[in-house]
Each structure stands twice: as structure tokens, then as C-alpha cells.
Amino acid sequence: MKLLAVLAATAALATPVSYVEGQQRADGSFGDAGITAWATLGLEAAGRDSGKAAAFLAAQTPASQTDAALFALARAAAGDRPDDLLPRLRAYSPGKLVNATIWTILALRQAGEPVPRAHLNALLRAQRPNGGFPWLAGGAADANDTAAAIQALRAAGVKGRPIDRAVAFLRRHQNADGGFELTRGRGSDTQSTAWAIQALLAAGRAPGAAAFRYLARMRRPDGSYRYSARYVTTPLWVTAQVLPALARKPFPLGR
């Protein structure tokens, strides 16, 4: 009976936040720099101290524009102004990688910086006829890039038709199980659902209870989340990306 009581108490304490916190290493990281950035964002969204994660990220050299933006976003969310990366973000010349433009905008706004008009115009031009946004300019739109683009556009003050069209695209990716899918026919997954919740909140729309019920079904006893009903993969990354949705906080955090 005592063992059962201990197991029950342990299960009760196993939350998504405690799961992510439990993965942090002595140097402040959660593994590689990318996962560390996502874990930092998740914990900060949940109102928890991310410890030395920002210091770890500040010591890293981002290999790409997207990495620079992600590291800056996480550091700024944790209260560490990324002055070493801001010139790179301001001077960025948008190219084919729409994803990099999205994250550059979000990182600048997280740091309290204005969005250069060239960044915003490039993102608006990337919107596809179906309302969604692609990873690469001219490519097929997907739910995750669309969700991130909605947050970036709203962070830059964009309202109206671009947001309405993107929200409509996103809604078409919600399935009967309440979850959202990356592309049509792929099947619901936890990360796409979390992204959609954040985007809808940023757009001032109700995500609906069904999306949160889907996430609840994906939660595991140790507090982590399955990638989907079929697969358990990269639980730390998945769980870290769920935390802002559970906290009902779109990016940039606190703005």
C-alpha cells in the first residue's frame, strides 16, 4: 500500500513543467542549443525560472539566421537582452527562407525592438493564395509556419485580411479529434496543435476546448507529451513547445 501511495504521489507531481525542469543540465542547457532555446521559452511562458539557460545560449554561436533569432527570442524572454545578436536581426535581408523572417520579427519584438518595414513586407508577400505561409517563399503552406507567421504579424501590429486569411487556413487543419495537423491528411500532432492554439490566441480568436482536450490525451504519466497518438518522439522538444499553449501565451511572451 505504501508503494502505491508513493507512486500515486509521484504521478501527481509529474507535470509538464516539472518534466522540462528535470531535463536541465548543470551548465544550464537542456541538450543542444536549439532544444535549450525551446525549453527556455516553455519555462518562461509557464512563469518558471529557466536558470542558467540564457547564459548558456549567450555563449553559443548561431549557425543560421533562424538560430540567431531563436536564441535571441529565448534570451530576451528570460530577461537577458541579446545585444550581440540584435544588429544581425535588424540588418537581416529577407530572402527565400520565410521561416527565418518570421523568427527574426518575433525576436526583435521580444526584445522591444521595432520591426523593419522590409521584414514585414517580405512576410506579407510570402502569404500564399490559400491564406497560409510556407517555410520557403513560393512553397506549399503548412500549419506550423502559418501559426508562427500569425504571431509575428500580430506582434508587428498587422490586423485585418492577412490575419483572417491565415486563421481560415489554420482552421482547415483541425481534425475531428480536436488536434491540428502540419499538412492536410498527415494526422494531428501535439506540436501543430500547440502552435495553432498560440496563433489563434494571438489573433484574438478562441482556440476551442477540443484542441486542449487533444493535448490532454497526449500527456504521459511522467508529464511529457507524445508527438501524436501513434508516436512518442523527442518528448522534451514536444513538451517544451506545449507549455506556451497551456499557459495561453503566444509569442512574443509578455507583450
Side-chain angles (χ1 to χ4, degrees):
M1 294 297 291
K2 285 186 177 180
L3 177 59
L4 290 176
V6 169
L7 291 174
T10 301
L13 292 172
T15 67
V17 169
S18 67
Y19 175 82
V20 173
E21 289 178 324
Q23 310 303 307
Q24 192 167 30
R25 302 176 182 181
D27 64 357
S29 75
F30 292 81
D32 67 33
I35 296 298
T36 299
W38 287 115
T40 302
L41 289 167
L43 290 177
E44 293 296 332
R48 303 299 284 264
D49 185 358
S50 54
K52 296 187 292 183
F56 172 84
L57 289 171
Q60 309 306 306
T61 301
S64 67
Q65 179 70 19
T66 304
D67 284 346
L70 179 60
F71 296 0
L73 177 68
R75 288 171 56 190
D80 174 33
R81 185 170 173 81
D83 286 320
D84 55 318
L85 295 176
L86 289 177
R88 177 174 176 175
L89 300 183
R90 296 188 196 106
Y92 171 64
S93 180
K96 286 189 65 67
L97 190 56
V98 179
N99 186 264
T101 303
I102 290 169
W103 290 105
T104 297
I105 291 173
L106 286 170
L108 286 169
R109 293 305 301 130
Q110 185 71 66
E113 294 279 316
V115 177
R117 191 68 208 183
H119 294 38
L120 183 56
N121 287 343
L123 183 54
L124 288 168
R125 287 195 303 270
Q127 190 167 27
R128 306 297 292 152
N130 60 11
F133 287 81
W135 177 272
L136 287 172
D142 65 82
N144 292 10
D145 283 292
T146 300
I150 289 171
Q151 292 172 79
L153 290 172
R154 289 297 301 121
V158 175
K159 300 178 182 179
R161 183 166 169 74
I163 302 298
D164 293 342
R165 293 176 61 224
V167 166
F169 174 89
L170 200 57
R171 293 283 197 194
R172 293 194 293 273
H173 287 70
Q174 187 170 23
N175 292 315
D177 60 6
F180 287 75
E181 57 190 355
L182 176 64
T183 55
R184 296 294 295 274
R186 181 184 174 97
S188 300
D189 71 78
T190 300
Q191 285 163 298
S192 295
T193 303
W195 280 110
I197 288 172
Q198 284 186 279
L200 292 170
L201 290 168
R205 315 298 169 83
F212 287 101
R213 285 197 296 268
Y214 174 84
L215 291 182
R217 291 195 298 274
M218 296 302 107
R219 183 169 161 177
R220 304 170 73 206
D222 65 356
S224 69
Y225 281 78
R226 306 176 63 88
Y227 170 73
S228 68
R230 293 182 62 189
Y231 301 111
V232 176
T233 184
T234 59
L236 176 55
W237 185 32
V238 173
T239 307
Q241 292 197 342
V242 168
L243 290 179
L246 295 180
R248 295 175 180 263
K249 293 181 179 178
F251 295 135
L253 300 175
R255 295 189 179 277

